[in-house]
Amino acid sequence: MMTTLIHQSAAELLGLLNAGQATSAELTRAYLARIDAVDGKVRAFLRVDPSAALARAEEIDARRKSDKPLGRLAGLPVAVKDLLCTTGEPTTCASRMLENFRPPYDATVVQRLKAADAVLIGRTNMDEFAMGGSNENSAFFPTRNPWDTTRIPGGSSGGAAACVAARMAPLSVGSDTGGSIRCPAALCGVSGLKPTYGRVSRYGLVAFASSLDQIGPLAGSAEDCALLLEVLAGHDPKDSTSVDRPVPDYSRTVTEPLKNLRIGWVREHFGEGLDAEVEKAVREAIRGYQSQGATVKELSLPHGKYAVATYYIIAPCEASSNLARYDGVHFGHRTDEKAMVAELEAQRKDLHQRGDQKALDDLDNALIRMYRRSRAEGFGPEVKRRIMLGTYALSAGYYDAYYKKALQVRRLIRRDFDEAFKEVDLIVGPVTPSPAYKIGEKIGNPLEMYLYDLYTVSTNLAGIAGMSIPCGLSSTGLPIGLHLQAPPFEEDRLLRGAAMFQQATDWHTRQPEI
Amino acid sequence: MPEPYTVVIGLEVHVQLLTESKLFCGCSTRFGSAPNTQTCPVCIGMPGSLPVMNRRAVELALRTAVALNCEIPHFTKWDRKNYYYPDLPKGYQISQYDLPLSRDGWLEIMVSPLPSGEGPGVRADVLEEGPHPNPLRAPTEGWSGEGTSSTKRIGIIRAHLEEDAGKSMHDEAAGKGDSRIDLNRTGTPLLEIVSQPDLRSPEEAKTYLTELKLLLNYLGVSDCNMQEGSLRVDANVNLHINVAEKGTAPEKGIVPLLLRGQSPFPAAEGIIATPIVEVKNMNSFRAVERALAYEAQRQYREYQETGRKLGEAPKSTRGWDEASQTTRLQRSKEESSDYRYFPDPDLAPVIVTEEEIEQIRADLGELPAALRTRLEQTYGITPYDSDVLVNQGRPLVDYYIELAEACGDGKLASNWVQQSVLRTLNERQIGIAQFPVRPAALAELLSVVKSGKLETVRARDVLQAMLETGKSAAEAMQALGIVEVDDAAVEALCRELLDANPKIVAEVQAGKEKGVGMLIGQAKRKNPNLNAARFRETCLKLIQGMN
């Protein structure tokens, strides 16, 4: 029973719950047992609270038994990326900085999950502050790819993708700033959707880059993503960038194939740097659509070549400002003040004795020293790198050359998409240049890591919707993702396009042996 | 002897707007609550929280900007000003940088004419090449009116909205003790109003502030309480020193043009500008006046000692020290504060339509300058009187108007409001709303005064009784035993006293009418209700009849 439960889709599980053929407690126990069994190898979760999850499941079961009204996800376990604020629970962003942060409020998305009667089963690992594409930047430990635990699961929502791939949760919530849902979904062989900017409230999502961040679902299939997105999406008066548009019933329409579908593939995405096996799988997928009656068109997104550069200006600039609040005064880790003050005094005394007035003048005051120390100790190297990049780019004299220019290019990138979507309904292509690489393989080369985002960052810069679904396995048995992109607020089209592919293929049903 | 320099002053005024809630969250803006009780995840910058703009604050800001004759762009946005300070929990302040919600306006102030021109070169610069693109401003620039009541337009560079920071409370015990942070104020809407450096004396600066405060009061946008910090003033000041007059050869090209944050006046030939100093820490308008006066003298002294000119020393910041009545250096190094401004991605830009601006203009109500003119024209009072009345705020003016209408004598009403009413308000430390005698009741009293049946001195007693007992004028007069003395009684009293004082009668007959005055006191003692003028008149008539 237990093994069969965890291998079913969320939609199927919901059917069992509604039909009284399974209880939420059984389900939750099954997933908790699976976590127990495999997470030692995968390390997708930063924290799991089995008793709280079970208590919640039992409470939902009791309500179901007494025919009380239940939410959309009643009794289904959902994993949450550890950057969504949850009242009274640690929300660490996988950073030493926020190791002890317990927000006094719920993110809107967490509120919605609670209102939908989801069972929040655990908090997933990630790159620190969502900065990274490999999960190696977690301050606590790297998550491993369930298909090959010597490899990265992708990032930054690596834990979110890995826990679905290893069947430790049927549904999982991640966030995507430059590919952080789609990249790990691709590398772990699951389905993951980055909604249109403004579709899901960001209130309570600890910000990395405010104009790019978007919360979205990861699951075993497009159908399950539809179910979860339906709960996550919607206007929120607490987020001025959330858009007031009705949320379609994604899960009702997701299985309806798209008629007269026009798909486009981008010439520039099939050039140098793309792994041959990935290219083969993606071209195969395109042929699959063709055989389902879709017309295929070759496209150009001429400004796409600037996307990575543009992204690595805008995202760090916003991050440098968003992360300024972690200074040890109000939020985040504070250095050991006693030791710091003692050290400062000793330095002052020493300089005084040596009569070095200049060094004395330059010596930090206690507040500045506290800021420096706290931030130096609290942030990991990648976060520091991006804060420095952003601080530099926003500095007087550089703003026009970097940030302002990047905003201009960003508009051109969006315009490319607007033009392209006049001719096609969906744009398809690779998600990542290659399947999952080895842990540690690129850690010394940040630029190479940044280039790994090259197919996904444009979606965020343009603010449109994008999705990754499994479309093959490499010769070494690693998942390959297919990237689908749709115009703003066409998540319904995206999900139906993905479901269409999944109706004709079984890549999304493949599961790693772990 | 006039000073050999012109003081050039620009003011930055921060006013807290009278909104119920903060600029980007629903927390109360009330002053004086226990520390950190008016906070929420948004205003304390809790990770994950997001700002939502308070429309009311924007409305109040626009209302002020329109009243300050500013241009209102149709597109304005929010920017982040990044800096680290313990009372700034997000590490940035949400403000407006390159596209403020208003710019290029002016405020008219009344000034006393300058003794001997206002300093060489400066005014001409403004007139001919002032950096003001606002066409509304240029043609009317400068002086208008004559004699004692000249007006002058002070340019407003911009007025923009931003969020206030929290308050730091430092333990002064040297190096010991913790600093405490109160975040109740964090996120309160602040309107920053930046003037052109058009002010030419500390007195003018004070006048500008007084007029600005009055305008804000009339608009109902701020309570402008300096003690509670709802109005704060920083000043930028430097001198334009006339070196030509002293016989020195005029130096050429000595003043760099328009450096950021510096005086936009290129000083003319023969004029040397001193380095600009920002003065902070001034807790009253009087402190502003004194600090600027002190600073002008200090800069002149410093120039004489060092010869340092604008551009040769970085802009410095000095704090006014109330105790020593001096300014003290706070920051001299050019700590090139780079705020790394960029548009706040959490907030949408604000679009202001022409219709909205017109609506705001239509709803402005009567502003102080227009109200003064109306009072003068409608009620025949002097500019001085209208100024005194209008400066007391709209509720008092409304009281005055009601009184003037009811008693039919604007001048009389003005005198009574300025003397008896204002004195009582002062004594009792109350506002006009709490003044117990309503205009209609006071008008009843004034009508009696106007008819000549009651003398001013007695009428004041009546008002005092009305204030104390709440009685009407008639009732109070009755209670005081004030009844009109009829002609027969007046005449009888006159005869009685004239009979008893033949010497005075003789004096009057000899042409010294003054003598009758000596009888008035006696008459009043016999009958306090007696009208002195009528008594005197009757006496004179009787004496004439005796001839």
Side-chain angles (χ1 to χ4, degrees), chain B residues 497-534:
Chain B
L497 289 173
L498 291 177
D499 289 349
N501 294 284
K503 207 172 144 194
I504 286 176
V505 175
E507 273 178 28
V508 174
Q509 285 172 333
K512 289 186 187 166
E513 288 192 1
K514 216 168 56 183
V516 177
M518 302 179 66
L519 297 179
I520 292 175
Q522 290 182 43
K524 279 252 176 193
R525 270 192 296 279
K526 285 182 182 289
N527 186 347
N529 292 330
L530 189 76
N531 182 312
R534 274 176 68 206

Side-chain angles (χ1 to χ4, degrees), chain B residues 346-418:
Chain B
D346 288 330
L347 288 160
V350 183
I351 308 298
V352 184
T353 65
E354 199 55 48
E355 291 71 38
E356 284 171 299
I357 298 169
E358 282 320 307
Q359 191 56 52
I360 287 165
R361 207 183 298 284
D363 294 344
L364 272 189
E366 202 170 15
L367 299 179
L371 188 55
R372 286 189 191 103
T373 309
R374 179 161 75 93
L375 294 188
E376 288 157 29
Q377 287 171 355
T378 311
Y379 302 107
I381 58 176
T382 65
Y384 173 85
D385 288 337
S386 72
D387 195 47
V388 171
L389 292 172
V390 169
N391 289 357
Q392 296 298 321
R394 184 74 210 206
L396 186 110
V397 173
D398 287 338
Y399 185 97
Y400 164 75
I401 290 173
E402 220 180 310
L403 180 64
E405 293 288 343
C407 79
D409 187 335
K411 185 80 193 140
L412 184 68
S414 165
N415 290 341
W416 275 78
V417 168
Q418 286 186 54

Side-chain angles (χ1 to χ4, degrees), chain A residues 77-388:
Chain A
V78 178
V80 174
K81 188 176 179 180
D82 204 27
L83 47 46
L84 292 168
C85 288
T86 306
T87 310
E89 286 179 34
T91 299
T92 69
C93 297
S95 178
R96 293 278 170 218
M97 191 52 107
L98 289 180
E99 202 168 356
N100 298 310
F101 175 54
R102 285 165 191 261
Y105 74 103
D106 276 342
T108 297
V109 155
V110 170
Q111 242 172 29
R112 284 171 168 273
L113 288 170
K114 285 181 177 173
D117 290 320
V119 174
L120 304 182
I121 196 166
R123 308 281 289 188
T124 55
N125 197 10
M126 54 188 280
D127 285 297
E128 183 178 6
F129 282 103
M131 297 178 190
S134 70
N135 244 258
E136 293 163 292
N137 297 331
S138 167
F140 304 119
F141 46 79
T143 295
R144 292 160 186 278
N145 194 316
W147 294 82
D148 176 350
T149 54
T150 67
R151 290 178 187 271
I152 60 150
S156 66
S157 310
C163 77
V164 172
R167 308 310 299 166
M168 292 187 277
L171 298 172
S172 168
V173 180
S175 71
D176 188 316
T177 305
S180 280
I181 287 175
R182 291 159 291 156
C183 158
L187 303 191
C188 290
V190 303
S191 302
L193 187 152
K194 183 212 90 81
T196 308
Y197 186 76
R199 179 73 288 186
V200 178
S201 168
R202 293 185 296 115
Y203 189 78
L205 163 76
V206 177
F208 158 20
S210 313
S211 74
L212 300 160
D213 295 341
Q214 194 61 197
I215 297 164
L218 294 99
S221 65
E223 205 182 332
D224 286 357
C225 283
L227 180 66
L228 184 51
L229 181 61
E230 214 166 272
V231 170
L232 302 178
H235 177 240
D236 178 9
K238 288 191 217 147
D239 174 2
S240 311
T241 63
S242 96
V243 177
D244 194 358
R245 282 171 77 118
V247 179
D249 297 334
Y250 301 119
S251 61
R252 194 174 50 78
T253 52
V254 62
T255 49
E256 294 171 18
L258 295 164
K259 295 202 176 69
N260 307 318
L261 177 64
R262 301 169 302 164
I263 60 172
W265 61 276
V266 180
R267 193 179 309 137
E268 295 88 351
H269 288 178
F270 291 85
E272 206 188 330
L274 181 61
D275 176 272
E277 286 187 319
V278 174
E279 177 168 356
K280 187 162 165 282
V282 171
R283 288 203 186 277
E284 194 94 6
I286 293 171
R287 271 193 295 278
Y289 275 110
Q290 241 168 337
S291 64
Q292 286 183 289
T295 56
V296 177
K297 192 173 165 60
E298 182 181 338
L299 296 170
S300 173
L301 296 173
H303 297 94
K305 57 178 173 288
Y306 305 118
V308 171
T310 304
Y311 176 84
Y312 279 97
I313 297 291
I314 291 175
C317 282
E318 294 181 7
S320 71
S321 174
N322 283 333
L323 272 62
R325 72 194 68 197
Y326 310 113
D327 60 8
V329 175
H330 300 274
F331 308 110
H333 165 81
R334 183 185 295 182
T335 192
D336 178 342
E337 282 172 285
K338 268 198 183 142
M340 178 208 80
V341 170
E343 184 196 86
L344 202 54
E345 278 312 306
Q347 277 182 317
R348 188 167 292 139
K349 215 166 150 186
D350 176 53
L351 291 171
H352 194 76
Q353 274 170 0
R354 285 197 274 140
D356 191 342
Q357 191 56 44
K358 193 186 170 309
L360 264 176
D361 288 347
D362 290 344
L363 200 61
D364 293 338
N365 65 34
L367 177 66
I368 301 289
R369 176 65 61 94
M370 193 277 283
Y371 284 153
R372 285 182 202 267
R373 263 308 141 74
S374 300
R375 288 169 71 81
E377 292 164 0
F379 289 134
E382 183 58 30
V383 173
K384 285 178 188 161
R385 187 175 295 124
R386 296 200 194 189
I387 289 173
M388 285 189 279

Side-chain angles (χ1 to χ4, degrees), chain B residues 328-513:
Chain B
R328 290 173 186 220
L329 189 65
Q330 289 184 332
R331 217 172 40 210
S332 68
K333 258 193 267 177
E334 189 73 6
E335 288 168 2
S336 61
S337 24
D338 182 351
Y339 293 118
R340 289 172 282 118
Y341 281 101
F342 76 106
D344 192 325
D346 288 330
L347 288 160
V350 183
I351 308 298
V352 184
T353 65
E354 199 55 48
E355 291 71 38
E356 284 171 299
I357 298 169
E358 282 320 307
Q359 191 56 52
I360 287 165
R361 207 183 298 284
D363 294 344
L364 272 189
E366 202 170 15
L367 299 179
L371 188 55
R372 286 189 191 103
T373 309
R374 179 161 75 93
L375 294 188
E376 288 157 29
Q377 287 171 355
T378 311
Y379 302 107
I381 58 176
T382 65
Y384 173 85
D385 288 337
S386 72
D387 195 47
V388 171
L389 292 172
V390 169
N391 289 357
Q392 296 298 321
R394 184 74 210 206
L396 186 110
V397 173
D398 287 338
Y399 185 97
Y400 164 75
I401 290 173
E402 220 180 310
L403 180 64
E405 293 288 343
C407 79
D409 187 335
K411 185 80 193 140
L412 184 68
S414 165
N415 290 341
W416 275 78
V417 168
Q418 286 186 54
Q419 289 159 23
S420 301
V421 177
L422 283 184
R423 188 192 308 123
T424 308
L425 298 185
N426 267 334
E427 281 167 6
R428 299 191 176 189
Q429 287 295 298
I430 54 171
I432 191 67
Q434 289 89 48
F435 189 70
V437 179
R438 299 323 302 156
L442 183 53
E444 190 192 328
L445 177 62
L446 296 200
S447 300
V448 182
V449 174
K450 207 181 153 199
S451 71
K453 291 174 187 165
L454 183 63
E455 290 170 294
T456 303
V457 184
R458 286 295 273 163
R460 288 203 183 116
D461 295 339
V462 176
L463 177 58
Q464 199 56 40
M466 292 166 73
L467 284 167
E468 280 158 15
T469 62
K471 288 183 170 146
S472 72
E475 288 164 354
M477 283 163 68
Q478 201 175 17
L480 289 174
I482 299 177
V483 285
E484 201 184 339
V485 185
D486 64 27
D487 289 349
V490 174
E491 199 173 319
L493 193 56
C494 284
R495 285 189 194 286
E496 186 192 329
L497 289 173
L498 291 177
D499 289 349
N501 294 284
K503 207 172 144 194
I504 286 176
V505 175
E507 273 178 28
V508 174
Q509 285 172 333
K512 289 186 187 166
E513 288 192 1

